Amino acid sequence: MLRSHTCGELRLTDVNTEVTLAGWVQRVRNKGGLLWVDLRDRYGVTQLIFEEGSTDKSLLEKAASLGREFVIQASGKVIERTSKNDKIPTGAIEIKAETLEVLNAAKVPPFIIEDETDGGDELRMKYRYLDLRRNVVREKLQLRHRMMQETRKYMDAQDFIEVETPVLIKSTPEGARDFVVPSRVNPGEFYALPQSPQTFKQLLMVSGFDRYFQIVKCFRDEDLRADRQPEFTQIDCEMSFVTQEDILRTFEGLVRHLFTNVKEVQLGEVERMTFADAMKYYGNDKPDLRFDMKFAELNDVAQGKGFAIFDQAELVVGICATGAGEYTRKQIDALTEWVKRPQIGAKGLVYVKCNEDGTYKSSVDKFYNQEDLKAWAEKAGAKVGDLILVLSGDAKSTRKQMSELRLKMGEDLGLKDRNVFKPLWVVDFPLLEWDEETQRFHAMHHPFTSPKTEDIPLLETDPGAVRANAYDLVINGVEIGGGSIRIHDRPTQQLMFKHLGFTEEEAQKQFGFLMEAFEYGAPPHGGIAFGFDRFCAIFGGSDSIRDYIAFPKNNSGRDVMIDSPSTIADEQLKELSIQVELKKA
C-alpha cells in the first residue's frame, strides 16, 4: 500500500505515530518559511506542515512547487496542532512531513474542487471525474451505495432471490419509446433495451421462483427533466401467491427499513387513498401530504348568483391557504399572473380574504354578499386570517391548474419541509386511459395489469370506468414506485389485448411467448418497481436525480464528458446493414 492511513482517520490519540498518506492537494498556504498543504482523499482532509529550520530546504522547495490536485505521497510524524480546526474531524492534528513524492502533477482544474465551487452545471458535467472529487457529490453516491446495500439486506431477509434479466430484448409498442440496437448477425432486425424487466419477472413467477428482485438498469427514450434520465435504475420486484395487501405490507416494510437504517427516521402511518380521491381533493395522483390545503368544491354555493364565469363552469374549486389572509393586492396579482401563464392555463383567479373582524373581502364582492362568502369559507375550512383561492372551468383542466397552485402555495408558505416525510399508497387506478391523439384506450400502467374482478363486465360497456389492481407509492408528492397484481391466465390477457386495440396476430407476435407460458401453470402474482434514483434524491433532500448518478446525461440526453451519442464509422454501419439518411427538420 502507498499509504498507512487515510486522510480522514488520524486523531490526537495518534500523536507521535509515523504515518504515510497519499491523496490530492486541496490547497497550499505558503507563509515563506512556513508552508501548509491540505491533503485530501475520499475519507477526509489532513494538514501537512513544512517548516524552515526543521524541514530540509529541498523538501520545502518541493512542497512550495505543489499545485492544486497534484497527486502526492507524504510521510512524517503526527503532531498536535497549535491552532485547531473544529470544522473537520482531523482538525486537532497535522503531519510534520519528512518525505514528499509527487506521484502525478496536475493541470490547473477548470473549476474549484470544493463544496462551494465556481463551476456551472455543464462545465462540471464535462469534467465529471473532477466533480466527483467534491465532498457534496461523493456523499450523494455514498448515500446511494448505502441504500443499495440496505435494500439487498432487507430483500434477502424476506427470501427474495436476485436474478439478472436480459438487456437485449424485444421491442414492444406500449409505453415510452424504446432505445433500439441493430443486430449484425440478423440483418434488418433489432433488439430493444428494456424499459423494465416486466415480462421476464412474470416468467420467473411462472418458473416457480416465488420471490424475485433485481436492482436493474432501465432505458426510456422520452423527454428529459430534473427527475428523468434516459437510463435509470429500478428496484424491481415480483411475488407469487399474494394479494395486493401482501405486496403493500411487504414493500412498506422495505421503505421503513431504508428510512430507519439509512436516514435514522421512524416513519409514521403510511396513508392510503384511492386514485379517485387523490384527483378530487388534490388534482393529481401523487399528492404531497406534508401540508393540507385540500380542494373544496364550491359549485353549490358559488353558482346561480349571476357571476357568469362560475355559472358556466363545470367545476368551481377552492383551496384555503392558512395564514395567508395578509397577502397584499400586489401578491395576489402576482398569483393571478402566475396561474394565467401558458404552462398553467387558467383564465383568472378569484380570492376571498378572511379578515380579522370576521368579515370577508373578495375580488367578486359585486356578486356575492357576506353570507355567500361565509358559506365558501365553511366549505373550504377557512378561518380568520386565511386566504381562499378559487379557480373554475372544465373539471379536468381546472383540477390540474389548482394542483399546480396548491403546490406553489405550499412552497411560498414554507410548508414543504425536506425533513418531513409523508408516504402514501395511491390505489384503485383506472385500468385504461383514453388517448385523444390515437383515439383509443391505452393501459394506464401496462397491458399485464389485472382489472378488478367486479369491473370486468364494464370492459364492454364503459372501459374508462374499469379499475385496476394497481398501486403507487408516493413520498412528498413524488412517485417513488408503482406496481400491480398481474393477469396470469391467457383468456384474460387476450381480453385485455383486445380492448387495447391489438389484433390477435399483433398480440401473438409481440407477447405470444408470455401467453403460452400462462398455459403451463402460471401462479397468481404481482409486484412493484421503485425508482431508485428518485428514492435516493428524496433521502438526500434534492429535486434532481443527476447528482445521485455517477455519470448522468444532460437535458438533451448527451454525456458531454465522453461526447455521446456520436456518429459511427461507415464500416460499422456496413457491418450492421444500415444506411443513415437524415431527414431535414
Side-chain angles (χ1 to χ4, degrees):
M1 296 290 287
L2 298 183
R3 59 189 179 188
S4 62
H5 297 77
T6 70
C7 294
E9 68 177 292
L10 295 169
R11 302 292 186 270
L12 277 175
T13 51
D14 297 299
V15 167
N16 293 324
T17 304
E18 292 286 342
V19 299
T20 300
L21 303 183
W24 288 262
V25 174
Q26 180 82 29
R27 66 177 67 87
V28 178
R29 300 187 301 285
N30 192 339
K31 300 294 185 183
L34 193 60
L35 185 144
W36 295 274
V37 174
D38 287 345
L39 188 64
R40 182 195 73 239
D41 65 10
R42 167 188 151 191
Y43 304 94
V45 175
T46 296
Q47 180 171 283
L48 312 178
I49 183 170
F50 301 81
E51 191 172 6
E52 193 173 40
S54 59
T55 300
D56 182 79
K57 184 179 179 182
S58 62
L59 184 61
L60 194 63
E61 289 174 352
K62 184 185 267 191
S65 71
L66 296 176
R68 282 164 47 203
E69 301 307 310
F70 274 42
V71 184
I72 65 170
Q73 180 191 54
S75 297
K77 184 181 289 186
V78 181
I79 62 174
E80 184 174 357
R81 280 174 68 161
T82 52
S83 179
K84 295 181 173 57
N85 180 356
D86 59 7
K87 294 180 180 178
I88 58 173
T90 60
I93 60 94
E94 59 191 354
I95 310 301
K96 187 174 178 58
E98 296 163 0
T99 67
L100 173 65
E101 183 179 350
V102 176
L103 301 175
N104 210 336
K107 294 196 297 185
V108 176
F111 54 86
I112 297 170
I113 301 176
E114 294 186 17
D115 290 358
E116 297 296 326
T117 182
D118 58 352
D121 286 348
E122 202 72 5
L123 183 64
R124 288 187 290 108
M125 288 303 99
K126 180 176 175 62
Y127 296 96
R128 180 62 168 174
Y129 49 86
L130 298 179
D131 194 40
L132 288 169
R133 293 180 187 175
R134 297 168 57 228
N135 288 330
V136 291
V137 180
R138 186 179 60 251
E139 285 166 3
K140 288 178 170 61
L141 292 179
Q142 288 173 328
L143 170 66
R144 182 187 180 98
H145 166 77
R146 286 191 62 203
M147 291 186 68
M148 203 170 274
Q149 300 313 307
E150 290 296 338
T151 296
R152 287 193 164 99
K153 189 185 298 184
Y154 176 86
M155 299 300 281
D156 184 59
Q158 299 294 318
D159 291 329
F160 282 81
I161 300 173
E162 187 167 8
V163 182
E164 293 175 287
T165 52
V167 174
L168 296 174
I169 65 167
K170 186 184 186 73
S171 182
T172 57
E174 292 288 318
R177 288 179 293 272
D178 288 326
F179 284 102
V180 294
V181 180
S183 170
R184 178 184 59 80
V185 294
N186 299 283
E189 296 185 322
F190 295 81
Y191 301 104
L193 301 181
Q195 296 186 32
S196 82
Q198 182 60 47
T199 53
F200 289 101
K201 64 183 180 182
Q202 291 192 250
L203 290 171
L204 285 169
M205 297 302 102
V206 177
S207 304
F209 272 68
D210 187 59
R211 293 189 169 204
Y212 142 92
F213 90 102
Q214 184 181 188
I215 299 176
V216 60
K217 199 68 106 175
C218 302
F219 307 85
R220 287 180 191 164
D221 185 5
E222 57 189 351
D223 295 335
L224 303 181
R225 57 191 188 207
D227 63 345
R228 277 186 186 165
Q229 284 278 291
E231 52 181 309
F232 58 96
T233 304
Q234 286 184 350
I235 308 172
D236 199 55
C237 316
E238 199 80 3
M239 304 170 72
S240 293
F241 304 112
V242 290
T243 64
Q244 177 173 301
E245 185 63 27
D246 296 320
I247 290 174
L248 299 193
R249 292 197 179 280
T250 299
F251 293 103
E252 191 173 306
L254 170 62
V255 174
R256 289 187 186 280
H257 176 86
L258 291 174
F259 270 99
T260 299
N261 292 281
V262 178
K263 285 290 287 181
E264 297 182 355
V265 168
Q266 298 299 319
L267 282 185
E269 177 191 0
V270 180
E271 294 186 42
R272 296 189 186 184
M273 185 183 300
T274 64
F275 172 86
D277 280 350
M279 298 305 294
K280 179 177 181 178
Y281 294 118
Y282 298 98
N284 69 57
D285 58 5
K286 47 182 186 298
D288 188 340
L289 299 187
R290 284 175 293 179
F291 58 101
D292 192 18
M293 228 180 283
K294 270 186 180 179
F295 292 6
E297 296 183 4
L298 304 175
N299 292 51
D300 58 336
V301 292
Q303 292 180 324
K305 301 289 184 178
F307 185 46
I309 292 173
F310 282 2
D311 290 345
Q312 296 166 10
E314 182 182 0
L315 176 68
V316 182
V317 66
I319 55 172
C320 171
T322 303
E326 296 300 316
Y327 262 41
T328 64
R329 182 58 186 265
K330 183 178 179 181
Q331 286 175 297
I332 292 173
D333 286 347
L335 280 178
T336 303
E337 291 306 309
W338 188 87
V339 299
K340 289 166 73 173
R341 294 182 313 154
Q343 303 95 308
I344 308 298
K347 291 185 170 59
L349 176 67
V350 170
Y351 73 88
V352 180
K353 288 185 177 184
C354 303
N355 297 325
E356 294 294 335
D357 61 3
T359 63
Y360 301 93
K361 172 61 182 170
S362 167
S363 52
V364 287
D365 283 339
K366 179 180 176 182
F367 300 95
Y368 299 93
N369 61 34
Q370 291 292 298
E371 284 302 311
D372 294 332
L373 298 177
K374 182 181 180 182
W376 291 21
E378 288 173 351
K379 291 212 79 172
K383 297 179 174 55
V384 167
D386 294 346
L387 176 67
I388 304 169
L389 300 171
V390 184
L391 296 174
S392 62
D394 71 272
K396 186 176 181 180
S397 59
T398 302
R399 289 191 193 284
K400 187 174 185 301
Q401 293 156 8
M402 185 57 87
S403 172
E404 296 294 334
L405 179 57
R406 175 183 178 271
L407 292 172
K408 176 174 174 54
M409 293 305 296
E411 189 72 48
D412 290 353
L413 296 172
L415 302 176
K416 293 184 175 183
D417 187 340
R418 290 190 186 274
N419 296 312
V420 172
F421 301 95
K422 290 290 186 180
L424 167 74
W425 287 111
V426 179
V427 299
D428 293 354
F429 278 81
L431 182 71
L432 306 169
E433 58 183 342
W434 182 256
D435 187 294
E436 287 293 342
E437 191 174 319
T438 59
Q439 288 292 296
R440 70 180 181 91
F441 282 104
H442 287 259
M444 181 169 267
H445 281 75
H446 53 63
F448 316 109
T449 299
S450 68
K452 297 271 185 191
T453 305
E454 61 270 29
D455 287 359
I456 289 178
L458 292 173
L459 281 169
E460 300 295 340
T461 59
D462 189 5
V466 179
R467 293 167 301 157
N469 290 308
Y471 34 83
D472 279 359
L473 180 69
V474 175
I475 301 177
N476 294 357
V478 177
E479 180 195 330
I480 295 298
S484 64
I485 299 296
R486 323 300 187 188
I487 296 168
H488 67 279
D489 64 284
R490 183 172 188 135
T492 306
Q493 189 63 72
Q494 285 178 316
L495 181 66
M496 183 66 174
F497 286 145
K498 172 190 168 186
H499 286 283
L500 289 172
F502 286 79
T503 64
E504 283 191 28
E505 292 74 19
E506 288 170 335
Q508 181 62 33
K509 181 180 179 182
Q510 295 292 336
F511 302 110
F513 65 93
L514 184 63
M515 289 191 287
E516 183 176 10
F518 286 167
E519 295 183 299
Y520 287 95
H525 59 281
I528 192 168
F530 293 95
F532 186 63
D533 311 295
R534 289 186 187 179
F535 224 151
C536 292
I538 283 279
F539 271 50
S542 303
D543 293 322
S544 173
I545 65 174
R546 284 186 193 166
D547 277 347
Y548 300 86
I549 298 172
F551 300 101
K553 309 287 191 293
N554 67 11
N555 280 345
S556 300
R558 296 197 67 82
D559 184 328
V560 294
M561 181 183 69
I562 63 172
D563 192 24
S564 173
S566 60
T567 56
I568 62 173
D570 289 341
E571 191 60 34
Q572 286 178 281
L573 290 172
K574 188 177 179 182
E575 281 185 337
L576 294 167
S577 305
I578 288 177
Q579 183 175 350
V580 176
E581 183 179 338
L582 296 177
K583 291 183 179 179
K584 292 184 179 179

